[in-house]
């Protein structure tokens, strides 16, 4: 069935989807003893950018560097905070201090043994505005970082910051680097993870090799080579021919075919990420809530999901992680209503043909291009002229993310299970990911209030209120959660360990190749 036929068909519309984030292979491997050795070649669906883990804001880069770096603490499959580089951690009774006892003998890839000085250096580096760290605001309330001995770190807070521990459980803010290594991290990242960085050829490949002194035991693989292949068909061909051992993001229209192939393995999970249409609030028409609301009514979210993603996901009006207590299940996507959209545009002073928009979409996500192409006709029905400008990933990041030079765009976000990371970063007026010029005092007040609200239930209610505000004001148009997929050769073992609980990062520590 081609896409046009698919979109005409109502029979294919997806029913309710179950939430899960676990390994679901098409064919279960028998229990085998993992083999040591070999180089796994991974067809990575995206291109890596800045290799400095403190500075990078892209999931594509984090997915690789997850294997190079570690944080003090991390999360288990249920998002409980657990030690990683720390041996233990505790919060002071007043919520104004955190004490970490470090694991002794942890080695960095440069041979240095980790001490409290490295933790202090790393956190102060993120906090320092000169670093350009994406997650700088995580440390806004930190007043002091003390190191009473080599294995103890005490963080003092100027005020209560309820999500602080959760925020440093993500590598972006919590990664620990060797003291003084900041200047080289962008080109030769040095961490304490299971794999050492070897080489990077921009747009082509990243090479990692096993770090035998990894504190949690050496990996099985000798090397991992991430080949950057954004074209889905090329990626799939490489898997079929054996040129690649595994790929992520199986082409949406080929997943059932690959699942039915006894010569290949598949891993699927939900969700991988969530997608939304971005409206630049600095662009005159989008300063008007009626215009933003009209855009929302133009889009048929369910049909777009079928047309661009072949139904491999689930529509949502909330970006909160679907199993999170903060997920506002009372919200529902607005239905497509072209006549209502036209009326709203008319009220805002835009008659048929008056509003001309440029949709900047990145080829890094082919389904974003397809989604934009589908939307062109709907916008035309509403009297809006929509043209598409296709950008490489680097150009999209430069124009849309950094320079905020766009009118309408589309993006997906990963690893935002922690609601402060999600709502403060994306919708607070000073948030690191607020590239849409959103400046809503009500949102600022809500997410700031959540930071000082210790009771989890009360905090979740605040985030639900923030979601309602985002929905009512149409700060963005939230579309769907997307499924994650991996295809692999039969020789690849340990696939049940590869997907990080956040649904985005891939861990190769326990992955292996049959001899």
């Amino acid at each position: 069935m081609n896409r046009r036929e698919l979109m005409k068909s109502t029979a294919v519309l997806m029913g309710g989807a179950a939430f899960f984030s676990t390994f679901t292979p098409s064919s279960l491997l028998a229990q085998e003893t993992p083999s040591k050795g070999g180089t796994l070649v991974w067809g990575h669906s995206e291109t890596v950018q800045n290799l400095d883990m403190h500075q990078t804001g892209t999931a594509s880069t984090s997915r690789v560097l997850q294997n190079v770096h570690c944080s003090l603490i991390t999360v288990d499959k249920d998002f409980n905070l657990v030690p990683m580089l720390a041996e233990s951690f505790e919060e002071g009774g007043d919520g104004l201090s955190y004490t970490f006892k470090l694991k002794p003998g942890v080695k960095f890839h440069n041979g240095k043994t980790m001490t409290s000085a490295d933790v202090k250096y790393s956190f102060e580096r993120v906090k320092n505005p000169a670093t350009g760290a994406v997650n700088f605001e995580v440390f806004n309330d930190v007043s002091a970082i003390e190191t009473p001995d080599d294995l103890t770190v005490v963080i003092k807070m100027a005020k209560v910051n309820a999500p602080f521990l959760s925020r440093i459980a993500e590598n972006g803010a919590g990664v620990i680097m060797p003291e003084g290594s900041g200047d080289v991290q962008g080109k030769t990242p040095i961490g304490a993870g299971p794999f050492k960085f070897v080489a990077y050829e921009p747009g082509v490949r990243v090479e990692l090799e096993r770090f035998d002194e990894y504190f949690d035991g050496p990996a099985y693989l000798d090397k991992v080579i991430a080949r950057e292949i954004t074209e889905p068909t090329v990626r799939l061909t490489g898997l079929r021919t054996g040129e690649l051992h595994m790929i992520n993001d199986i082409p949406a229209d080929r997943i059932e075919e690959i699942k039915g192939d006894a010569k290949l393995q598949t891993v699927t999970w939900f969700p991988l990420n969530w997608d939304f249409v971005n409206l630049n609030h600095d662009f005159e028409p989008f300063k008007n809530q009626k215009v933003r609301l009209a855009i929302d009514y133009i889009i048929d979210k369910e049909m777009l999901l079928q047309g661009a993603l072949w139904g491999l996901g689930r529509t949502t009006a909330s970006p909160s992680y679907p199993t999170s207590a903060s997920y506002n299940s009372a919200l529902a996507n607005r239905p497509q209503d072209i006549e209502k959209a036209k009326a709203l545009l008319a009220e805002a002073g835009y008659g048929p043909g008056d509003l001309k928009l440029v949709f900047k979409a990145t080829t890094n996500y082919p389904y974003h291009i397809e989604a934009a192409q589908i939307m062109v006709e709907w916008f035309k029905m509403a009297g809006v002229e929509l043209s598409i400008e296709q950008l490489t990933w680097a150009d999209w990041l430069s124009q849309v993310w950094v320079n905020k030079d766009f009118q309408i765009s589309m993006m997906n976000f990963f690893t935002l299970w922690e609601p402060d990371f999600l709502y403060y970063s994306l919708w607070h007026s000073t948030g690191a990911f607020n590239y849409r010029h959103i400046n809503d005092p009500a949102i600022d007040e809500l997410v700031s209030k959540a930071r000082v609200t210790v009771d989890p239930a009360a905090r979740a209610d605040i985030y639900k209120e923030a979601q309602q505000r985002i929905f009512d004001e149409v700060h963005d148009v939230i579309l769907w959660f997307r499924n994650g997929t991996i295809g692999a050769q039969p020789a690849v073992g340990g696939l049940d360990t590869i997907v990080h609980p956040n649904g985005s990062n891939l861990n190769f520590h326990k992955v292996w190749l049959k001899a």
Side-chain angles (χ1 to χ4, degrees), residues 428 440-450 462:
H428 191 280
D440 184 340
I443 294 290
D444 287 1
E445 181 180 353
L446 285 167
V447 297
S448 297
K449 179 181 177 182
I462 294 171

Side-chain angles (χ1 to χ4, degrees), residues 204-216:
V204 180
R205 67 197 295 239
V206 179
E207 182 177 338
L208 310 176
E209 69 178 13
R210 181 178 62 242
F211 179 48
D212 287 326
E213 295 183 87
Y214 180 52
F215 74 90
D216 198 25

Side-chain angles (χ1 to χ4, degrees), residues 158-285:
K159 62 180 180 180
V160 171
N161 186 323
F164 179 73
L165 284 178
S166 295
R167 292 298 303 273
I168 65 170
E170 283 286 353
N171 267 346
V175 62
I176 305 304
M177 301 173 173
E179 185 178 12
S181 67
D183 290 344
V184 303
Q185 289 287 343
K187 293 185 177 180
T188 55
I190 303 168
F195 288 89
K196 296 187 296 184
F197 172 83
V198 176
Y200 172 45
E201 189 176 352
V204 180
R205 67 197 295 239
V206 179
E207 182 177 338
L208 310 176
E209 69 178 13
R210 181 178 62 242
F211 179 48
D212 287 326
E213 295 183 87
Y214 180 52
F215 74 90
D216 198 25
Y220 299 118
L221 296 167
D222 291 334
K223 289 186 177 182
V224 174
I225 294 177
R227 289 186 50 195
E228 299 176 1
I229 307 173
T230 59
E231 169 52 49
T233 303
V234 175
R235 208 163 54 245
L236 182 57
T237 299
L239 178 66
R240 284 197 172 282
T241 61
E243 181 182 355
L244 305 172
H245 289 103
M246 62 163 277
I247 64 173
N248 66 299
D249 281 353
I250 301 170
D253 58 335
R254 306 289 293 278
I255 287 178
E256 292 306 315
E257 171 193 336
I258 301 306
K259 282 185 175 181
D261 190 334
K263 297 179 181 178
L264 294 172
Q265 301 181 81
T266 59
V267 180
T268 61
W269 68 97
F270 178 92
L272 167 66
N273 64 270
W274 58 276
D275 289 81
F276 61 152
V277 171
N278 304 149
L279 308 174
N280 191 337
H281 289 227
D282 202 40
F283 176 55
E284 187 60 38

Side-chain angles (χ1 to χ4, degrees), residues 22-48:
T22 56
F23 173 65
T24 54
S26 59
S27 58
L28 293 173
L29 291 174
Q31 292 295 323
E32 299 180 69
T33 302
S35 302
K36 191 169 183 177
T39 297
L40 183 140
V41 184
W42 160 34
H44 188 194
S45 64
E46 301 179 50
T47 55
V48 170

Side-chain angles (χ1 to χ4, degrees), residues 22 50 57 90 113 119 143 147 158 234 242 247 258 295 301 339 346 357 395 427 447 450 454 503 505 508:
T22 56
N50 185 347
E90 63 179 8
T113 299
V119 177
S143 59
T147 55
V234 175
I247 64 173
I258 301 306
I295 299 299
K301 289 80 175 177
E339 292 307 312
L357 301 175
D395 286 342
W427 283 284
V447 297
V454 176
N505 289 338
F508 291 94

Side-chain angles (χ1 to χ4, degrees), residues 316-319 327-333 464 467-469 471-472:
T316 181
S318 166
Y327 182 83
N328 190 340
S329 59
L331 296 178
N333 293 96
K464 288 178 182 178
Q467 290 161 63
Q468 186 69 57
R469 176 72 179 183
F471 181 83
D472 292 344

Side-chain angles (χ1 to χ4, degrees), residues 72-76 80-86 89 169:
L72 278 186
I73 57 178
T74 187
V75 292
D76 63 17
N80 298 308
L81 297 172
V82 294
M84 195 175 195
L85 294 179
F89 59 96

